[in-house]
Amino acid sequence: MEDLILTPRGWIEAFGEIVRFAARMLREVASLRVMRFFGEALRQAGILIVSSTLVIWGLVFIIGLECGIEGAYFTYGEGTPAYSGVFAAWCDLRELVPLVFGYMMAAKVGTGIVAELGSMRISDEIDALEVMGISGMRFLCATRLLAALMVLPFVYLCSIAAGFFASYLAVVQQIGYVSSGGFFLIFWQFQNPPDLLYSLIKAMAMAIVIVIVGCYYGYNASGGPVGVGTATAKSMVLNLVSVHLIGMLGTQLFWGANPRAPIGG
Amino acid sequence: MRDDAHSQRGDVKRTDGKAVSRVSVVDESPPRPGPPEGAADEEYRWHSYAVHPSGRPDAVRFVDTYKSFGRSHVLRGLNMALPEGMVSMILGPSGTGKSVCIKHMVGLLYPDSGDVLVHGRSVPDMPDDELFEMRKKFGLLFQDGALFGSMNLFDNVAFPLRQHTEKGDDEIEEIVMRRLNEVGLGDSRTRMPNELSGGMRKRAGFARALVLEPDILLFDEPDSGLDPVRTALLGELILEIHREMIEEAKRKQREHLPTFCVVTHDIMSARRVADYINVLWKGRIVEAGPAEEMLGSENPFIRQFLSGESQGPLTMD
Ligand SMILES: Nc1ncnc2c1ncn2[C@@H]1O[C@H](COP(=O)(O)OP(=O)(O)OP(=O)(O)O)[C@@H](O)[C@H]1O
Ligand SMILES: [Mg+2]
């Protein structure tokens, strides 16, 4: 019984702590103090590109295919096959690509950070850094955030392209109820350049949250290898919840009042 | 030199009955401090609190430091000093808080109350930037080496040099290889930490702690996990490096002489290496002083501990 009362309070406290941690991390990056370790940030950026881009693009591509196929058959069934481009323009750009990007970021990058920083924490490596006069916050956390900010917009734009390309392949090349020109007519009609920006903002918000949450749980890990495992699991839960929240709130905020389809009601 | 080493916490009751020191070496001894709150005086009956003067200024000093983790009280009014330019030892049974002490000196842990002074400056009061600057005075060998798992041995040892100096690659190479050879790891420079044995990791951590030639070097059990021969050699190495650094400091007229502090269980290396010995138990210093005086101490606890016998006041509990 006591647990039931204590748990929400524990959550609130933990949330407050994460917010404080995030503020510190953002300050390190915004004040450019992280630039002292720009080399390390570049190294992290390289690791991010090599280890995570392909799997993100691959996953987005598959989702783009599925979305295209379902969109094509659905619009065909309703007698409006020409409109299958809407699915690519909306579903891909607004919802699925950011979500899938968020999932992959959480699964690959987020947990990777927790495991890496967590094992450094329990083997005293972070303390060793600090004793050498180097802020672990700056050298380990801020550089990772900076690396994410440098690399991920590019990765994300490419994954949108991959998603669109996959939908196009499925709708036009594979199923073929609509011509290439017809697909693109509708496709472009149903989006504006700001949509791309909004989608990018959504994805970057997810990425930033995921990196911060990963750093928080890794940096503050305790309790040996088991503790690192627990921290990894917790970070994954929090990250998935955050990805969905950001996805939903972003859609409401950016497209809720869209005159073409006021989904905000 | 021993002015406020005996200073007393205001809120701790004094037991005047015990004011007479049981050790006669120090005659003008100030009143004996009472036990920490919640502890019986009985538990502290071997604590003579005698501090034999070292004749040097203190590089590091703990002043009435208290530290608890939840219900476990680790430091309980600790007064301890590491004299400048000496090789000091902190001796004490396992789990008494020796590693905790070391973490207080470099500001990785903060005391609940009391103060930790490094060259006269209070560590807990330092703002972050100053703390990071101050830490460059320190070299610290962690109990498990704490090498960076993502770098090979050479990069690990070179890391502080690359971060804090403008030295070129050649010079770094030379310094690092000299240190690695000193600890007998010259051949393993490209190996990763997880490919090394515990003892090798420790020796590599030792090399890394040395490269910046810090003013204060702290070794947390440099000898655990080493074979007896290597332990003896390591003791000699510590002494040799200390001598070298002292000469260097005198030549360069540095403000502070290099201070070493070794935490250990190994009585033999204590006897061989130490200039000054602090014996820590139950969160306080039992007795402290230059090695010769400590080795001749009449305190039964000190005698038992320094000879490593099973007979005496110290038991398993
Ligand atoms: N971060 C921490 N959280 C909780 N308790 C701690 C922490 N660090 C140390 N302790 C406790 O403090 C006490 C002293 O630990 P410490 O590591 O300083 O012992 P030690 O004297 O170095 O022992 P050993 O010689 O075995 O290394 C132990 O009882 C330990 O459980
Ligand atoms: Mg220890």
Side-chain angles (χ1 to χ4, degrees), chain B residues 69 72 74 92-101 109 143 220-221 265:
Chain B
F69 297 99
S72 95
V74 182
S94 190
T96 37
K98 301 182 297 293
S99 302
V100 170
C101 270
L109 287 175
Q143 200 158 351
D220 198 347
E221 299 188 21
H265 292 140

Side-chain angles (χ1 to χ4, degrees), chain B residues 169-209:
Chain B
D169 281 349
D170 292 345
E171 200 178 345
I172 289 181
E173 164 98 24
E174 189 206 310
I175 297 174
V176 171
M177 286 319 290
R178 179 159 60 101
R179 292 301 179 198
L180 280 180
N181 285 327
E182 266 173 355
V183 294
L185 289 174
D187 297 335
S188 313
R189 53 176 291 175
T190 54
R191 291 222 246 166
M192 300 300 279
N194 61 1
E195 300 167 340
L196 301 174
S197 75
M200 288 163 93
R201 276 202 286 273
K202 195 144 249 183
R203 284 184 277 150
F206 186 80
R208 189 177 65 181

Side-chain angles (χ1 to χ4, degrees), chain A residues 36-37 125 130-132 134, chain B residues 135 147-149 163-164:
Chain A
R36 200 180 142 222
F37 303 119
E125 287 175 48
E130 297 262 334
V131 172
M132 289 177 197
I134 293 172
Chain B
R135 281 175 179 163
L147 299 180
F148 301 123
Q163 292 297 333
H164 290 312

Side-chain angles (χ1 to χ4, degrees), chain A residues 26-48:
Chain A
L26 291 170
R27 223 175 14 247
E28 293 285 345
V29 176
S31 66
L32 298 183
R33 274 184 292 214
V34 63
M35 284 308 180
R36 200 180 142 222
F37 303 119
F38 191 66
E40 174 67 12
L42 281 182
R43 199 176 75 87
Q44 292 298 335
I47 293 174
L48 210 52

Side-chain angles (χ1 to χ4, degrees), chain A residues 39-53 147 150-151:
Chain A
E40 174 67 12
L42 281 182
R43 199 176 75 87
Q44 292 298 335
I47 293 174
L48 210 52
I49 292 177
V50 172
S51 66
S52 303
T53 38
M150 289 192 298
V151 169

